[in-house]
Amino acid sequence: IELINSYAKFKDNLIKELQSAEKYIIFEVVYVNSKDFDRIKSILISKASANVNVKFVYDSIISPKLKRELKKGGVKVYRFSKHNTIGKVYSNKRNFVVIDGRVAFMCNLNVRSRELSGKFDIADTIIKFKGDVVQELDIAAHQDVISASGKYLDYKAPPKEAFANECNIQYI
């Protein structure tokens, strides 16, 4: 586990890890409102065109233009928020990225210009996970994609032996 308290360092770490993705990326945010997301967006699209399975799950706000660009680039885009028949909203305020089930980031990942530009570097703690603990986030991320898409995924949880050094985390 690595604690990162700078969005500039987080952005550098995230870009490096996204570029190394070989199998899949699940990028889960509450909202995106940033011109500075262009670099990350281009990596997601590039990876999707290179047959990396890229899923982008958002909870509330994404520009129609960004949604079109991601979809056109081969990224699977899902909105998590759902309304049921009695008017309740099912929402998900998780903010994390899981890459190939080997590395994950968890933080206040709402993508805003002020953080990604480096002009406003808040002291929010970003956590970078590697190792066994990533499995917990990986399972949660895949469950969120199933919930948001309404489709069962070809996802097989790791065998029980993979949890020999089990590390449970609580995410909220």
Side-chain angles (χ1 to χ4, degrees):
I1 294 177
E2 178 184 351
L3 297 176
I4 304 169
N5 63 358
S6 160
Y7 267 95
K9 186 176 177 186
F10 161 65
K11 185 178 172 186
D12 292 344
N13 266 269
L14 178 63
I15 287 171
K16 178 184 170 195
E17 295 293 351
L18 288 171
Q19 289 173 328
S20 71
E22 296 177 356
K23 298 175 187 170
Y24 63 89
I25 298 168
I26 299 177
F27 201 104
E28 191 168 336
V29 296
V30 175
Y31 67 87
V32 175
N33 179 20
S34 174
K35 292 176 187 171
D36 296 305
F37 186 70
D38 286 344
R39 178 74 175 119
I40 295 168
K41 176 187 72 179
S42 69
I43 294 169
L44 296 177
I45 290 170
S46 171
K47 287 297 179 176
S49 66
N51 294 319
V52 173
N53 193 352
V54 181
K55 296 176 181 74
F56 186 91
V57 181
Y58 68 99
D59 191 48
S60 55
I61 300 171
I62 183 175
S63 77
K65 180 183 176 195
L66 176 58
K67 186 176 177 179
R68 275 192 311 273
E69 290 171 348
L70 288 170
K71 284 185 169 186
K72 185 178 177 183
V75 175
K76 295 174 186 90
V77 179
Y78 306 105
R79 181 174 183 186
F80 191 89
S81 297
K82 305 284 184 198
H83 294 270
N84 67 13
T85 56
I86 58 171
K88 294 203 180 228
V89 177
Y90 294 104
S91 186
N92 178 351
K93 300 300 183 197
R94 294 183 185 155
N95 290 286
F96 54 78
V97 178
V98 177
I99 302 164
D100 292 339
R102 62 175 177 75
V103 65
F105 294 90
M106 178 184 283
C107 62
N108 180 11
L109 194 63
N110 299 320
V111 182
R112 299 176 290 216
S113 298
R114 63 184 189 177
E115 286 91 356
L116 289 177
S117 68
K119 295 175 188 163
F120 181 80
D121 202 20
I122 64 171
D124 189 21
T125 300
I126 299 129
I127 306 169
K128 180 179 180 180
F129 299 94
K130 285 190 170 188
D132 291 344
V133 72
V134 175
Q135 295 168 350
E136 295 283 333
L137 287 171
D138 192 41
I139 291 167
H142 280 87
Q143 289 171 338
D144 288 346
V145 171
I146 291 168
S147 182
S149 68
K151 299 174 186 172
Y152 178 76
L153 303 175
D154 260 351
Y155 174 71
K156 294 180 181 172
K160 287 184 181 180
E161 302 81 53
F163 294 95
N165 298 319
E166 193 169 326
C167 297
N168 292 316
I169 61 168
Q170 178 180 358
Y171 45 89
I172 51 175

